[in-house]
Amino acid sequence: MSLAELSPSDALIALYATLDRRPRPEEVAHLVFRAVGDRFDQRDRMLLGRAARAASRWHGESSMSDDFARPVGGTRQVDAARRLFTLPDDGVDPDDPTSLLDFTRRLGESLGVRDEHRLDFQRDRLNRADRVAAGIELSKRQYNRRFRVTRRVAAKAGRLGAGQTRRQLTLVARSGFAAGLPLATFVADPWAACFVAYLTARRKLRREFTLSGRDNPYDEIADLLFRQCVAAPDTDWWMIAQVHPTPEVLARLTDRQRGELLGRWWATMRQVAELLARIWSASEFDRATMVVRRGNDSSTWNLLCGAYNTARTAWIATLAATGSLDLLDAACPGKAMLLIAADLAAWHRSTGGGLHPDTTVWARLPLPWDVLDGTATCTRADVAAACAEAGVDGERCGWLAPRPAGAVGTFRPTPELVHGVAVVDPVWAAALRSAGVFSGRPMHGSAIQVPADVVLRELPQSGGQSTP
């Protein structure tokens, strides 16, 4: 069924599916138009229609993925184990790490393994005497084959769990708790559903390699939909607060709802902080500049920082809404700074810029995860002093209070990006990405000469100066 044939109810279901993916905002605007377009006056309908028509650019094609990476399940490992152990299909879910670990435990029991987490090939296998004593009538070769397969299932469970956590935190960083909303709740309030779907699509946009900073995700289309939510008498503000915890939204919740949100965001901060601490202790970062060094896993680090900072921003906003900002007097964990690419940092310096002021504040404060686990102390006074020394307004920049709302952004169609560089169309984007252009690595095959009109934004030259 084409988008033009969708009924309003079908369009809402399609919008719900976007919460777990990464569609372009104009594609979501098209679905919004199908769901509630007939409820707007002429002026607002034209505004929404302009965004929806952008979805048909390049015949709706894009070289960029419309989803976040999904971890591959353990179907292959489970099938191999069933063939080797001659087991029936007993309901193992290969996409559930817990189910895979339970399956590992049962496989291990048949091999005399008492703990599915102890599967060292050198130390935990049974020798011939132990196999006889345990009643295992297998040759050494057959026992070893089964042991190796069991280890692979266990290892897959660990990788799958880590991959699912990574994806879940990616969604939290970009869209709050939107991916966990129930379908029945989502479709029950069309205005709130459309606002949530569109705003999360805007927040999931890829970053451009530019000095001008990111556009405000809250643009004129989001503002149009939010005004409809404000005008409706029975808006589901609880659903909106999952992704847009601003003072205006939080003020419309009950005390119990605000308390629940406070707990969820705090738990998310703690979860992400533990993961950040592991990476920090296993890596060598330049804390003073946070410029990427060789060996730094900047993708994972920045993903986790995004999730942590999203949770921290929402937590502070909810503290303010409940009148509990005084709690920061006892403990005020700071922000986590993202790593910045060395070429982008050099570009900033060449144009008279420098480090982001928040980097200086971050370097002066205890590490956030040390504050959260009680290893270090950081109070509101400490953060205020660090901000003052760095020349940063701690309240306006979100260190000590909810960050003030920015100006409403202007809708513009999603650019085709190749490693953050905007190019003219998907065909060029696919070709440049395949060749490794703008990746920072050696290009595949012969060098490609990129015409000047293919790149839509200025880029730095090798010396750092800007070139159109």
Side-chain angles (χ1 to χ4, degrees), residues 21-34:
R21 297 189 295 106
R22 197 180 202 178
R24 294 176 297 161
E26 49 264 42
E27 295 170 337
V28 175
H30 196 168
L31 290 172
V32 170
F33 195 87
R34 300 303 306 172

Side-chain angles (χ1 to χ4, degrees), residues 205-268:
L205 284 172
R206 294 165 174 82
R207 288 181 179 269
E208 288 189 59
F209 189 81
T210 175
L211 295 179
S212 59
R214 298 193 70 180
D215 294 339
N216 187 357
Y218 188 92
D219 66 1
E220 55 193 333
I221 307 299
D223 187 59
L224 167 64
L225 296 170
F226 187 78
R227 285 188 276 110
Q228 295 293 335
C229 293
V230 172
D234 53 355
T235 295
D236 187 347
W237 292 106
W238 170 248
M239 176 166 66
I240 293 176
Q242 307 295 305
V243 302
H244 191 54
T246 61
E248 182 178 1
V249 173
L250 294 171
R252 299 172 185 269
L253 302 183
T254 65
D255 289 340
R256 181 175 180 178
Q257 289 173 328
R258 285 191 287 264
E260 182 177 341
L261 264 186
L262 193 64
R264 291 185 68 187
W265 287 119
W266 175 257
T268 302

